């Protein structure tokens, strides 16, 4: 569906090598997260796919069409929700969506636009000028705009930045439904729990290079051999009382919580040691690392 081969990008301004030999193939129906720190190169890659930035090297095919030779065809296949929101501020939502439809030669799509606006909670605002929308509403408008021509691939560059938590969850449901109806989705976000909730594949880009590309489950599995055990007590704790657990790196948190690190397979040993000492704890929590912990781990190393 999307084939990116040996793509490099050097911005003349600042001589910045923003992408270094990127290879990425996305199959139809995937839901992929593209993660990375500020300046990693995510938007550069997305802007290349959108045709807004000309890559220095490499090939990109969208639905089999080369973005260099068949730009128009590729534009029909993808919808892009850009990170920066440079657009015609004086138009209303309705006008802007009509204009966008016209760009693709689509007429009489009122019903579909009504549907999109309803799903994105913008119906009430359809007559408002873009400059008068709140930041979160603008992001939702950009999603509607990207979907006007029913693209097979939707690429969203931080669609939930600045969107309130309730609306973010509404957007998650919207994206899940869109994915279920067959749309291939690529999402960049700094809310890692969002990627954990929505995406099936995680691609991490760091300083212009892909440093991880794995199915989410596998990535989580590789890292989830380590677990964190939190034991809660009534009374204040002294670290010296936990010498018998020293191989599990005991730490005291908030005075009454004991934190231990262990491998999954040693969990029962930890429980037994605690039981043997007749420790009267009030609660015990075993936590798997979250995608966020794993992400930070990968970025650091
Ligand atoms: N138009 C430009 N001219 C020169 N350098 C640029 C331009 N756009 C981006 N860069 C540089 O390219 C690098 C990658 O930027 P990019 O916007 O792709 O990062 P990003 O991963 O999207 O970051 P963020 O999470 O902050 O959105 C950065 O070092 C940035 O300064
Ligand atoms: Mg960006």
């Amino acid at each position: 569906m999307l084939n990116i081969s040996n793509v490099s990008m050097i911005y003349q301004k600042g001589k910045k090598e923003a992408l270094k030999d990127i290879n990425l193939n996305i199959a139809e129906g995937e839901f992929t997260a593209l993660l990375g720190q500020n300046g990693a190169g995510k938007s550069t890659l997305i802007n290349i796919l959108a045709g807004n930035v000309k890559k220095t090297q490499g090939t990109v095919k969208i639905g089999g069409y080369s973005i260099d030779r068949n730009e128009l065809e590729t534009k029909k296949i993808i919808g892009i929700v850009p990170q920066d929101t440079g657009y015609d501020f004086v138009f209303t939502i309705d006008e802007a969506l009509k204009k966008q439809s016209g760009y693709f030669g689509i007429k009489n799509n009122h019903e579909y636009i009504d549907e999109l606006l309803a799903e994105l909670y913008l119906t009430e605002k359809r007559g408002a000028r873009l400059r008068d929308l709140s930041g979160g509403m603008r992001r939702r408008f950009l999603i509607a705009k990207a979907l006007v021509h029913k693209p097979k691939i939707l690429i969203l560059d931080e669609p939930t930045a600045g969107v309130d938590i309730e609306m973010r969850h509404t957007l998650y449901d919207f994206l899940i439904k869109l994915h279920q109806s067959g749309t291939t989705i690529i999402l960049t976000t700094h809310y890692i729990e969002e990627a954990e909730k929505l995406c099936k594949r995680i691609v991490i880009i760091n300083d212009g290079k892909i440093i991880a590309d794995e199915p989410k489950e596998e990535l989580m599995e590789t890292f989830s051999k380590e677990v964190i055990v939190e034991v809660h007590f009534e009374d204040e704790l002294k670290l010296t009382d936990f010498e018998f657990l020293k191989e599990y790196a005991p730490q005291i948190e908030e005075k009454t919580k004991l934190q231990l690190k262990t491998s999954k397979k040693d969990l029962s040993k930890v429980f037994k040691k605690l039981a043997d000492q007749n420790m009267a704890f009030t609660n015990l929590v075993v936590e798997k690392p979250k995608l966020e912990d794993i992400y930070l781990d990968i970025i650091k190393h």
Side-chain angles (χ1 to χ4, degrees):
M1 195 86 209
L2 178 64
N3 307 95
I4 300 171
S5 308
N6 309 106
V7 165
S8 298
M9 174 66 207
I10 301 170
Y11 285 107
Q12 282 314 310
K13 203 166 57 186
K15 301 261 181 294
K16 174 70 196 173
E17 196 179 3
L19 294 175
K20 300 164 189 165
D21 200 28
I22 296 287
N23 288 285
L24 184 65
N25 291 302
I26 306 270
E28 187 166 1
E30 287 196 47
F31 200 147
T32 307
L34 184 61
L35 307 178
Q37 294 166 304
N38 292 140
K42 305 177 297 294
S43 296
T44 299
L45 186 60
I46 291 174
N47 285 328
I48 288 172
L49 302 179
N52 299 332
V53 166
K54 288 271 166 269
K55 59 187 160 43
T56 314
Q57 241 177 50
T59 55
V60 174
K61 284 189 176 171
I62 299 173
Y65 294 103
S66 149
I67 55 162
D68 301 316
R69 277 174 279 124
N70 302 89
E71 198 183 340
L72 239 84
E73 290 302 324
T74 64
K75 282 203 162 144
K76 284 184 202 159
I77 299 169
I78 52 172
I80 306 260
V81 181
Q83 178 175 21
D84 59 60
T85 52
Y87 44 76
D88 309 314
F89 268 101
V90 293
F91 292 103
T92 66
I93 288 184
D94 261 332
E95 287 164 353
L97 293 181
K98 209 168 282 171
K99 201 168 136 223
Q100 183 73 2
S101 305
Y103 178 80
F104 287 100
I106 302 166
K107 287 179 203 137
N108 301 320
N109 60 343
H110 318 289
E111 273 177 34
Y112 178 59
I113 285 181
D114 289 350
E115 224 174 274
L116 272 180
L117 291 178
E119 294 221 50
L120 292 164
Y121 292 79
L122 287 171
T123 307
E124 264 179 51
K125 288 282 172 185
R126 64 189 306 161
R129 288 185 203 286
L130 300 179
R131 64 168 177 227
D132 299 329
L133 298 178
S134 76
M137 289 168 192
R138 245 174 248 157
R139 297 224 73 85
R140 271 139 57 203
F141 155 74
L142 286 174
I143 296 174
K145 185 177 168 197
L147 287 172
V148 149
H149 61 295
K150 300 189 180 172
K152 288 195 176 129
I153 309 175
L154 179 67
I155 304 178
L156 307 110
D157 198 350
E158 295 187 37
T160 52
V163 174
D164 72 55
I165 182 148
E166 195 189 344
M167 192 49 76
R168 239 187 280 158
H169 283 274
T170 309
L171 281 181
Y172 299 163
D173 294 340
F174 177 78
L175 292 178
I176 289 168
K177 235 164 80 184
L178 198 69
H179 176 244
Q180 281 168 350
S181 72
T183 307
T184 306
I185 303 181
I186 302 172
L187 168 85
T188 82
T189 178
H190 288 290
Y191 302 109
I192 309 293
E193 75 275 9
E194 189 167 297
E196 183 167 356
K197 184 179 160 71
L198 298 172
C199 301
K200 307 262 186 306
R201 176 175 172 186
I202 307 290
V203 176
I204 303 177
I205 177 164
N206 193 42
D207 195 19
K209 286 194 289 261
I210 291 178
I211 57 165
D213 177 2
E214 277 185 71
K216 180 182 66 191
E217 301 301 336
E218 277 175 34
L219 194 71
M220 306 281 292
E221 190 49 42
T222 318
F223 281 81
S224 67
K225 293 186 178 104
E226 278 263 305
V227 291
I228 293 164
V229 183
E230 225 181 50
V231 195
H232 300 206
F233 292 85
E234 283 285 320
D235 302 317
E236 215 168 290
L237 302 174
K238 281 206 305 283
L239 199 54
T240 46
D241 292 338
F242 298 100
E243 273 289 305
F244 69 101
L245 289 167
K246 69 173 184 295
E247 62 204 281
Y248 305 109
Q251 270 185 36
I252 291 169
E253 307 264 313
E254 297 164 38
K255 292 182 181 163
T256 60
K257 283 184 206 162
L258 176 73
Q259 205 193 62
L260 303 165
K261 284 201 180 108
T262 177
S263 63
K264 249 188 196 167
K265 68 173 177 29
D266 282 348
L267 257 183
S268 55
K269 279 191 207 159
V270 174
F271 295 160
K272 183 158 188 319
K273 284 197 170 186
L274 280 167
D276 286 349
Q277 297 285 325
N278 280 323
M279 290 251 145
F281 52 85
T282 57
N283 196 11
L284 190 146
V285 187
V286 179
E287 277 185 356
K288 276 204 279 187
K290 296 196 175 74
L291 182 60
E292 183 158 319
D293 306 317
I294 295 167
Y295 168 77
L296 289 172
D297 218 41
I298 293 175
I299 290 284
K300 269 191 222 135
H301 294 111

